[in-house]
């Protein structure tokens, strides 16, 4: 006769308690253990010049909903000229995220060698249940290593955390495929549209959405995207064009002629954008600027933006989103820029689609020879010493109809981080 062996009760309970402890310490349960459903916004000021920089806390804000990933908050990519890390009071790493800034770009311009300036930056974390520590780091141009710039202790009980309603702008769902915590939430924001032009803005959002989901790999991954539109009216239509002495009163104070480059369109005050989006779900922000003039910009985990009405609007949008969302580098090298020594050629760039061959094994060596992938010299604003994966790509020109396989893979990896 078969006999069923029954474990002693204390062993059975111990077994299930051990399983529960393992589960509670897994990435999936970190969010519930340490964070509320809300989010915190950290406002910073970056200041300095080409030789030095400093970082200052400008304010803390409590916002309605954290819309980022919950299964894991620690990015695996090691992207960005900066990053921030969040630690529990007992020293556990809870979150890590890389980013770039307009300030970092400005530091490579000639102006930064003769004057000091400051720029704003806004960064999101889930709102903590208990005290946490947030550390901001900079990457060294010399050796590529990170060093700390600023440490902030945050207590959820701090009465200085601003919880006020910051505006009444409407966020309109365009395409919603599921809960924000396991989708990529792309938020389009109106800039330079008057209140009478909001229908035009929504039409432009739908137009840009079409451009995105017609482009691989977004086409194959369209069900992983949530798309939203934030309707912010401006007093005047358009944007500043300083080189033509055109100045417009707009919601986000965008302008061409950034760093004295005609086509570089930015919104220099990042805090204006973040405050406008205080109640909106987003993982990445893209600003549509109501202008026919050619231009745009994209900065990793900061924002992307470009013009609404131009024959190359679709190409520029998808290109700039590649910077802002996936950390892709520019692959062109002959167009005018104001940067000087943007890359140290003795180091391997962190961007996944360019290489100095210092550590090519970490890049696309496994894709060599597939779909015309190789080593093509010229990229990252440099004709010699930096290589790109293919002769042409959407990160190189407006002529290419596709991303190269290296860029497609990088975009897919970023989508996976937010959704898997």
């Amino acid at each position: 006769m078969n006999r069923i062996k029954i474990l002693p009760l204390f062993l059975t309970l111990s077994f299930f308690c051990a399983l529960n402890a393992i589960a509670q310490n897994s990435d999936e349960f970190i969010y519930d253990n340490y964070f509320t459903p809300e989010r915190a916004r950290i406002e910073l000021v970056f200041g300095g010049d080409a030789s030095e920089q400093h970082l200052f806390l400008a304010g803390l804000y409590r916002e309605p909903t954290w819309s980022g990933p919950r299964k894991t908050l620690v990015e695996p990519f090691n992207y960005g000229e900066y990053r921030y890390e969040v630690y529990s009071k007992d020293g556990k790493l809870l979150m890590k995220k890389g980013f770039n800034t307009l300030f970092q770009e400005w530091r490579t311009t000639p102006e930064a060698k003769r004057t000091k300036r400051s720029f704003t930056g806004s960064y999101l974390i889930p709102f903590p249940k208990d005290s946490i520590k947030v550390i901001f780091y900079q990457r060294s141009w010399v050796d590529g290593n990170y060093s700390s710039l600023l440490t902030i202790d945050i207590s959820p009980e701090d009465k200085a955390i601003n919880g006020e309603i910051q505006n009444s702008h409407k966020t309109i769902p365009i395409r919603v495929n599921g809960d924000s915590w396991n989708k990529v939430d792309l938020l389009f924001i109106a800039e330079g549209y008057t209140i009478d032009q909001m229908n035009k803005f929504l039409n432009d959002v739908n137009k840009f959405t079409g451009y995105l989901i017609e482009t691989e790999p977004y086409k194959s991954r369209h069900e992983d995207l949530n798309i939203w539109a934030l309707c912010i009216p401006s007093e005047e239509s358009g944007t500043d064009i300083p080189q033509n002495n055109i100045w417009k009163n707009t919601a986000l104070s965008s302008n061409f002629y950034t760093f004295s480059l005609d086509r570089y369109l930015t919104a220099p005050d990042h805090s204006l954008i973040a405050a406008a989006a205080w109640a909106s779900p987003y993982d990445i922000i893209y600003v549509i600027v109501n202008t026919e003039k050619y231009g745009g910009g994209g900065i990793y985990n900061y924002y992307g933006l470009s013009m609404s009405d131009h024959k190359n609007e679709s190409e520029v949008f998808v290109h700039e989103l590649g910077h802002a969302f996936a950390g892709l580098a520019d692959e062109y090298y002959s167009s005018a820029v104001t940067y000087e020594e943007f890359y140290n050629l003795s180091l391997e760039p962190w961007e996944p689609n360019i290489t100095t061959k210092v550590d090519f094994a970490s890049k696309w060596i496994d894709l060599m020879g597939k779909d015309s992938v190789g080593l093509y010299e010229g990229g990252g604003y440099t004709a010699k010493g930096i290589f790109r994966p293919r002769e042409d790509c959407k990160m190189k020109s407006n002529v290419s109809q596709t991303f190269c396989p290296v860029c497609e893979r990088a975009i897919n990896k970023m989508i996976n981080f937010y959704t898997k």
Side-chain angles (χ1 to χ4, degrees):
M1 180 176 64
N2 293 329
R3 294 183 178 180
I4 300 174
K5 295 183 178 179
I6 301 177
L7 290 171
L9 180 60
F10 78 91
L11 290 177
T12 304
L13 291 175
S14 297
F15 175 74
F16 283 107
C17 286
L19 286 181
N20 183 64
I22 293 171
Q24 290 296 316
N25 286 322
S26 69
D27 287 340
E28 187 172 356
F29 287 90
I30 284 179
Y31 190 97
D32 291 336
N33 289 344
Y34 291 95
F35 300 109
T36 76
E38 300 166 299
R39 73 185 177 205
R41 187 174 92 241
I42 304 170
E43 291 282 355
L44 302 177
V45 175
F46 295 78
D49 54 23
S51 61
E52 64 177 9
Q53 61 178 318
H54 304 280
L55 191 54
F56 306 93
L57 176 65
L60 297 171
Y61 295 82
R62 188 169 192 156
E63 300 186 334
T65 306
W66 171 257
S67 55
R70 295 188 181 187
K71 290 183 179 179
T72 179
L73 296 167
V74 178
E75 285 188 349
F77 307 110
N78 199 33
Y79 292 174
E81 297 299 326
Y82 301 87
R83 76 175 183 219
Y84 58 98
E85 298 176 350
V86 180
Y87 291 89
S88 66
K89 64 180 181 181
D90 59 355
K92 182 179 181 62
L93 177 64
L94 305 178
M95 181 177 183
K96 181 177 75 173
K97 188 166 188 171
F99 64 95
N100 280 10
T101 69
L102 193 61
F103 173 67
Q104 168 262 326
E105 292 188 2
W106 172 78
R107 292 186 72 216
T108 69
T109 67
E111 183 189 28
K113 294 179 179 179
R114 60 180 184 269
T115 191
K116 296 181 183 293
R117 287 187 62 181
S118 64
F119 291 74
T120 60
S122 298
Y123 306 95
L124 304 181
I125 63 171
F127 199 87
K129 290 182 176 180
D130 205 343
S131 298
I132 58 169
K133 187 184 299 292
V134 184
I135 306 175
F136 286 84
Y137 298 88
Q138 62 174 333
R139 189 193 294 265
S140 168
W141 186 89
V142 175
D143 60 17
N145 295 323
Y146 283 101
S147 60
S148 61
L149 275 174
L150 177 67
T151 299
I152 304 169
D153 293 309
I154 299 177
S155 167
E157 305 303 322
D158 186 352
K159 301 306 179 185
I161 298 176
N162 190 328
E164 68 184 23
I165 295 174
Q166 296 176 54
N167 59 63
S168 58
H169 304 320
K170 294 181 179 179
T171 304
I172 297 175
I174 304 299
R175 293 171 63 96
V176 179
N177 287 302
D179 294 328
S180 288
W181 60 267
N182 65 353
K183 301 294 178 184
V184 175
D185 285 274
L186 170 59
L187 178 66
F188 287 105
I189 302 183
E191 165 64 345
Y193 294 81
T194 65
I195 195 167
D196 295 329
Q197 294 176 316
M198 281 301 114
N199 284 337
K200 178 184 185 303
F201 168 63
L202 292 176
N203 288 335
D204 288 340
V205 169
N206 280 290
K207 179 176 63 173
F208 276 46
T209 299
Y211 297 149
L212 187 65
I213 63 176
E214 291 166 4
T215 304
E216 290 290 2
Y218 302 106
K219 182 177 181 179
S220 297
R221 305 295 301 273
H222 68 93
E223 292 184 352
D224 288 317
L225 308 178
N226 288 342
I227 298 178
W228 311 84
L230 180 56
C231 299
I232 307 178
S234 292
E235 290 296 320
E236 295 182 285
S237 179
T239 186
D240 295 345
I241 310 177
Q243 62 268 41
N244 296 338
N245 201 30
I246 295 173
W247 303 93
K248 297 297 182 76
N249 183 0
T250 59
L252 303 179
S253 296
S254 63
N255 61 267
F256 283 96
Y257 206 59
T258 303
F259 308 153
S260 303
L261 189 63
D262 286 2
R263 70 177 188 277
Y264 198 7
L265 173 62
T266 65
D269 190 349
H270 191 230
S271 64
L272 281 180
I273 297 175
W278 78 281
S280 301
Y282 67 90
D283 297 306
I284 189 67
I285 284 175
Y286 201 91
V287 179
I288 303 180
V289 183
N290 189 22
T291 180
E292 297 177 354
K293 180 174 169 56
Y294 180 88
I299 300 173
Y300 177 57
N301 276 341
Y302 200 65
Y303 59 63
L305 78 173
S306 59
M307 70 286 177
S308 60
D309 300 287
H310 188 277
K311 65 179 181 179
N312 294 124
E313 64 196 30
S314 63
E315 292 85 0
V316 173
F317 159 56
V318 174
H319 172 99
E320 302 299 354
L321 188 67
H323 292 310
F325 174 61
L328 298 177
D330 280 317
E331 295 179 10
Y332 58 80
Y333 53 91
S334 57
S335 299
V337 295
T338 58
Y339 310 132
E340 296 180 344
E341 296 183 319
F342 200 83
Y343 292 99
N344 182 347
L345 299 185
S346 66
L347 300 177
E348 184 64 35
W350 57 262
E351 294 93 333
N353 62 318
I354 59 172
T355 181
T356 55
K357 298 197 293 186
V358 170
D359 184 19
F360 182 53
S362 67
K363 294 300 176 70
W364 60 87
I365 193 169
D366 59 315
L367 297 178
M368 291 288 284
K370 301 176 183 178
D371 193 22
S372 302
V373 172
L375 283 167
Y376 297 83
E377 193 163 22
Y381 324 119
T382 303
K384 297 293 182 181
I386 293 181
F387 299 81
R388 63 191 188 278
R390 201 171 65 180
E391 181 62 39
D392 204 2
C393 171
K394 283 187 174 294
M395 297 311 298
K396 181 177 183 290
S397 76
N398 290 333
V399 175
S400 179
Q401 298 300 304
T402 62
F403 286 106
C404 71
V406 174
C407 290
E408 280 200 22
R409 181 168 67 179
I411 294 169
N412 271 316
K413 285 183 176 180
M414 191 62 69
I415 294 174
N416 289 342
F417 170 73
Y418 284 98
T419 61
K420 301 299 185 182

